[in-house]
Amino acid sequence: MMEPQDNIEEDDTASSSAASSSSPPPRSLPRQRVSLQKSSVCSRSYFMVVMVFFHVYIINVIALLLYVHYNNGSNTSTANRDFTSRDNSQKVTGPSNPQTSADSGFPRNMYLPRIEGIRVGHVQKVSLVPGKVHEMKTLSLKPLLFEIPGFLSDEECGVVVRLAQLKGLMESQVMVPEGQEELNQQLNLSPEEIFNFLDLNQDGQLQPHEILTHSRVRDGIWLTSENLKEIYDGLKVDQDGNGLLSLEEFGRLRSDAFQRFLLQRGVERSQLVRNSRHTWLYQGQGAHQVLQDLRKRVTLLTRLPSSLVELSEPLQVVRYEQGGHYHAHHDSGPVYPETACTHTRLAANTTSPFQTSCRYITVLFYLSNVEEGGETTFPVADNRTYEEASLIQNDVDLLDTRKHCDKGNLRVKPIKGTAVFWYNYLSDGRGWVGEQDEYSLHGGCVVTRGTKWVANNWINVDPDYQRQVRYQHLVSQQETQEQEELISELNTDQHTETHQDL
C-alpha cells in the first residue's frame, strides 16, 4: 500500500532537479494538514437544531391550549348571550304572526358549545358548585365521553332514590309489544321493500344477524341465533334449512309473525332488551331543591344555555335488580328528512310515522355502588371503523351485555356520586347538531350481585335548526300567554274583592 506514495515522491524529486537547471529552486514550505474535529462540530449543530425544534413545539402546544381555553369560554358566553337575547326578544315583543315568522325562517344566531376531549386520560378542572372544583376526565374521543367523580354527594344520591321510590317505578319494557301490523300498514311498505331494507349487504338473502338486529329494535326481544332457528322451525319458513331467508321465504311471513310466535311460546325477562324499572322526576320550578340544583349543575357541566336544558326531558331514575341489564343501544337515532324528533313534533307542521328521541347529550349519574357487575359498556369506543355487521361475529355478540360485556372496548364501573356524559351526535361544523355518532353505542352490563340505581338527564336538540327554534318560540309564546292570563285573573280577583269591600 505504500508503493504509490513512493512513486509520487520520486516524481516530485525528478521535476525539482529539472527545474534547478533553469532557475534557482524555490524554498519549499512543508504542507501541514489541519485536523478538524468533525464529530464535535456535527454534534453541536445537531444539538442546536434539536433545541430549536423543541422550543417551537413547546410554544405551539402552549398556544393551542390557550386557544382552546379562551375559545371555549368565549363560545359559552356567546351562546348564553344569544339564547338569552332570543328568549327575551320573543317574550317581550314576539312576531305578530308566528306563522309568517316560521315560514320566513329564523336567523341562525344560536350556537351549541362543544367541550374538547384533547386526548384519552386528559383531566380538566370544572367549577360546578361554590367552593369546590371537580375533575373531568376524558374516557374516549369516539364518542366524546367524560367522567366526573363526586358530581353528586351521598346525601343527594339518597334524596333522588327516595323521591323515585315515593313516586313509584314502572316496568321499563313490556314483555311483547303489539301493534306492529298496524304500523306496517301505515308505512305502506311491500314485503319486497321491507326485505331490501333488512338486506344490509344486498346479497339477496337475509343473514341471521340482519334478522336479529331488526327484531331487537322492532319487537324489543333479545333473540339469539338459537332462538331464531327455533322460530324458523316452528313457523316452517326455512324450507332448505340453510339458516338464510330468501325473498320467497320471507314473503310467506306476516309482519307480526315473530310476535305471535313469542306470545304463544312465552318470553322470559332475561330475553328482553331491557330488564329494569324506572320513573320520571320533574326538575322545574316547584320541584325538590336537589333536583333543581342537579339541573343547574348539568347546565354548567355541558355549557349549554339554560333555556335549552329546561326544555329537555325530565330526570329518569332507573333501578336494576340482580339479573337486570340493558343491551347495547343508541340513546338517539339518526334523523332523516321523513323523521320527526319527539320533543319538537308539534312544531314540525307535518305528520310522520317515524319519531326518535333527539338526545344531543346524555348525562348518566350513578346513585349507588354495585356489589358485582352493572358496568356501563361502550363496545366500539375509539374503534377505527364502525360496521353494524361486525358487531355479531364468530358467536360473539358485542351487543349482548349479558354474555359478552367483557368483550367491549370500554367499561365504566358504577361508583356512587360519579357522573359520565357523552355526545350522541357529531357537530355539523357550524355550531349545530350533525350526524349521529355511531360510536356512542352503549349498554348496561348485567347486575350479578346487588342493586344498581342510576339516573339520566338527556338534553334534547333537534338537528333541524329551524324546527328547534320554532319549537322554542311556540313554548315562549305559550308561557307569555299563561303569564298574561294569570295576571288577568289576579287583577279580576283583586277588583272583585275591592268591589265587595265597597
Side-chain angles (χ1 to χ4, degrees), residues 157-327:
C157 291
V159 168
V160 176
V161 169
R162 285 191 293 272
L163 289 174
Q165 291 173 327
L166 287 173
K167 184 174 182 180
L169 289 86
M170 66 187 75
E171 293 291 341
S172 298
Q173 180 183 333
V174 296
M175 295 300 283
V176 180
E178 299 179 357
Q180 296 298 329
E181 184 71 23
E182 180 181 353
L183 176 60
N184 290 331
Q185 290 177 356
Q186 293 178 2
L187 298 179
N188 194 25
L189 295 177
S190 65
E192 291 81 5
E193 291 174 317
I194 299 176
F195 183 89
N196 289 329
F197 280 130
L198 299 181
D199 189 10
L200 300 178
N201 58 3
Q202 296 295 301
D203 64 348
Q205 293 180 316
L206 294 184
Q207 314 289 330
H209 73 269
E210 294 171 334
I211 290 290
L212 290 176
T213 301
H214 172 65
S215 178
R216 291 168 180 177
V217 173
R218 188 193 67 174
D219 300 327
I221 307 300
W222 197 260
L223 299 178
T224 63
S225 300
E226 293 77 13
N227 300 140
L228 194 60
K229 185 178 184 305
E230 182 182 352
I231 293 176
Y232 284 174
D233 293 341
L235 298 176
K236 296 180 173 55
V237 64
D238 186 15
Q239 299 294 336
D240 51 14
N242 62 353
L244 308 175
L245 289 186
S246 64
L247 176 59
E248 181 182 357
E249 294 171 333
F250 180 77
R252 301 193 193 105
L253 287 173
R254 290 184 48 173
S255 59
D256 61 346
F258 279 24
Q259 287 180 305
R260 291 175 177 272
F261 180 85
L262 292 170
L263 286 171
Q264 295 175 359
R265 177 184 178 274
V267 178
E268 299 179 0
R269 295 190 60 83
S270 60
Q271 290 182 280
L272 297 176
V273 170
R274 183 178 188 180
N275 180 13
S276 62
R277 298 176 66 87
H278 75 276
T279 191
W280 301 88
L281 297 178
Y282 172 69
Q283 294 181 272
Q285 187 175 2
H288 194 285
Q289 189 60 45
V290 169
L291 299 180
Q292 295 189 54
D293 293 342
L294 185 58
R295 189 170 69 175
K296 293 177 183 177
R297 217 170 296 167
V298 168
T299 304
L300 292 174
L301 173 67
T302 59
R303 305 177 186 176
L304 294 175
S306 58
S307 58
L308 192 135
V309 177
E310 291 169 1
L311 290 178
S312 296
E313 298 174 58
L315 182 72
Q316 185 195 53
V317 183
V318 189
R319 182 183 69 195
Y320 295 89
E321 299 288 349
Q322 184 168 323
H325 68 276
Y326 197 170
H327 290 304

Side-chain angles (χ1 to χ4, degrees), residues 84-114:
T84 303
S85 62
R86 167 61 57 184
D87 292 342
N88 292 337
S89 63
Q90 291 171 358
K91 288 182 179 180
V92 177
T93 58
S96 57
N97 188 348
Q99 185 64 35
T100 302
S101 176
D103 291 341
S104 61
F106 291 90
R108 195 179 182 90
N109 60 357
M110 291 195 295
Y111 173 81
L112 299 177
R114 193 176 179 91

Side-chain angles (χ1 to χ4, degrees), residues 114 143-145 313 329-335 356-364 378 421-427 433-442 456-461 463:
R114 193 176 179 91
L144 198 50
L145 170 66
E313 298 174 58
H329 61 282
H330 291 98
D331 279 349
S332 191
V335 179
T356 184
S357 299
C358 299
R359 295 163 172 168
Y360 178 56
I361 288 179
T362 296
V363 187
L364 173 66
F378 293 82
F421 90 94
W422 62 90
Y423 294 88
N424 296 302
Y425 289 92
L426 303 172
S427 173
V433 182
E435 297 180 354
Q436 179 195 30
D437 189 346
E438 296 176 321
Y439 294 91
S440 64
L441 182 75
H442 65 284
N456 294 292
N457 255 148
W458 286 298
I459 312 301
N460 303 112
V461 182

Side-chain angles (χ1 to χ4, degrees), residues 66-132:
L66 290 175
Y67 170 78
V68 171
H69 174 74
Y70 287 107
N71 190 45
N72 283 342
S74 62
N75 289 339
T76 303
S77 60
T78 303
N80 281 304
R81 184 167 58 252
D82 289 342
F83 267 79
T84 303
S85 62
R86 167 61 57 184
D87 292 342
N88 292 337
S89 63
Q90 291 171 358
K91 288 182 179 180
V92 177
T93 58
S96 57
N97 188 348
Q99 185 64 35
T100 302
S101 176
D103 291 341
S104 61
F106 291 90
R108 195 179 182 90
N109 60 357
M110 291 195 295
Y111 173 81
L112 299 177
R114 193 176 179 91
I115 300 176
E116 296 291 339
I118 309 299
R119 65 180 182 279
V120 175
H122 178 71
V123 177
Q124 306 179 48
K125 304 289 186 180
V126 291
S127 179
L128 304 175
V129 294
K132 183 177 180 180

